[in-house]
Amino acid sequence: SPGQAYPGQSITFRSSIANIGRAPAVSTSSSNIMTAFYLSSNRILDDSDRMLGSFGNNRTYEPGDSNQNPERRYTIPNWLEPGRWFLIVKADSRDRVDEADEANNTRTLSLAVTPRPKPDFVVESLTIDPGSFYPGQRLTYRSVVTNIGPAAAACPNGLKTVYYLSSDMTIDDSDTKLANYTNTQRSYAPNAKIRQMNLGFSIQEIMRPGTYYLIAKTDKDDDVDETYETNNIRIRPFNVIQRPALK
């Protein structure tokens, strides 16, 4: 449980053992009947499979006797590639019991291994106070950055958002960096929001009338490993007009 997992996730095993033979299966303090759990790339248990864990029962199984094993939690290895894998449970994993049939001690379950969930930061909104602007006026803006991913984001150096003034919709060396804001929080849960308010700049006298663009980029240095690395930008156009004539 569950039928799918991602590397690093813990999964719970529930299993039971039954003696379907006609004679007792006896364990001793020095020779417990062991149950082991394996991770395999196929349905066949062999030496290439990885043991996730095991435990022993110090008891006797009478004919027809069964036992519900305690739940066990094991972690999917971080190196595991996404895809179809198999969980194999083997009773009497050390082959200490002389059985009528030594080939029926395993049970196999399919496990879908999915990519590890990642955070995903977006500039959810970038708002400019309405209206057109002329040289000398101050343009005020604000933004909301949200982690829309299914996983928390660890940001040991904080989350950095940068704002640019551009003549087009592309960030390049010709753009003017307006602000470089670092939120010092170190972790952001799914749906966490960072609000940046009352930011602004003055429209420069050298700016000719026309359309300009305010561009916000969060996780500006790509420090966070995200689901999507191409959705960190939000763009808002605004118009610069001639300064009104004095009357």
Side-chain angles (χ1 to χ4, degrees):
S1 173
Q4 69 176 35
Y6 55 83
Q9 184 179 11
S10 293
I11 57 176
T12 301
F13 289 85
R14 301 177 183 88
S15 62
S16 60
I17 294 175
N19 178 10
I20 63 173
R22 298 181 178 180
V26 181
S27 66
T28 66
S29 58
S30 60
S31 181
N32 287 341
I33 297 177
M34 302 296 295
T35 300
F37 301 86
Y38 299 88
L39 182 63
S40 177
S41 60
N42 54 54
R43 294 180 177 274
I44 307 301
L45 182 62
D46 57 37
D47 291 340
S48 68
D49 298 331
R50 177 179 179 128
M51 181 190 290
L52 297 175
S54 64
F55 68 95
N57 277 323
N58 183 12
R59 56 163 294 173
T60 297
Y61 290 86
E62 298 293 341
D65 194 8
S66 65
N67 179 60
Q68 182 72 39
N69 294 322
E71 288 187 356
R72 298 284 164 169
R73 289 184 64 82
Y74 299 113
T75 300
I76 300 299
N78 286 318
W79 51 261
L80 202 66
E81 293 291 331
R84 182 68 59 185
W85 293 81
F86 298 90
L87 300 169
I88 302 177
V89 184
K90 182 179 180 181
D92 188 27
S93 60
R94 295 180 180 175
D95 297 323
R96 297 291 177 82
V97 180
D98 184 16
E99 301 180 68
D101 185 352
E102 297 287 357
N104 65 349
N105 286 3
T106 60
R107 176 78 68 176
T108 302
L109 297 174
S110 178
L111 177 69
V113 176
T114 60
R116 182 195 297 272
K118 297 179 181 181
D120 192 16
F121 284 112
V122 298
V123 182
E124 183 177 347
S125 67
L126 178 62
T127 305
I128 298 175
D129 287 343
S132 297
F133 303 87
Y134 56 81
Q137 273 193 314
R138 181 172 177 80
L139 183 153
T140 302
Y141 60 95
R142 53 195 174 275
S143 69
V144 178
V145 174
T146 304
N147 176 13
I148 64 171
C155 301
N157 297 316
L159 180 66
K160 302 172 185 177
T161 302
V162 64
Y163 299 88
Y164 299 92
L165 172 63
S166 179
S167 60
D168 55 36
M169 300 177 68
T170 303
I171 297 174
D172 56 37
D173 292 340
S174 68
D175 298 332
T176 300
K177 185 183 293 185
L178 299 172
N180 193 351
Y181 180 87
T182 299
N183 190 287
T184 57
Q185 187 174 326
R186 298 295 187 258
S187 180
Y188 300 87
N191 298 315
K193 296 181 183 295
I194 305 98
R195 303 180 189 276
Q196 298 167 6
M197 309 294 289
N198 299 322
L199 303 172
F201 67 98
S202 295
I203 302 298
Q204 302 172 17
E205 295 289 344
I206 62 173
M207 292 176 65
R208 296 179 178 180
T211 300
Y212 293 83
Y213 300 89
L214 176 65
I215 304 177
K217 180 181 180 182
T218 193
D219 187 30
K220 78 176 189 71
D221 296 324
D222 296 325
D223 294 326
V224 181
D225 183 18
E226 302 179 71
T227 304
Y228 301 102
E229 298 289 355
T230 58
N231 63 349
N232 289 358
I233 292 175
R234 177 76 67 177
I235 303 171
R236 281 288 175 266
F238 64 94
N239 293 320
V240 172
I241 61 175
Q242 282 188 324
R243 186 194 302 273
L246 296 176
K247 295 182 179 180

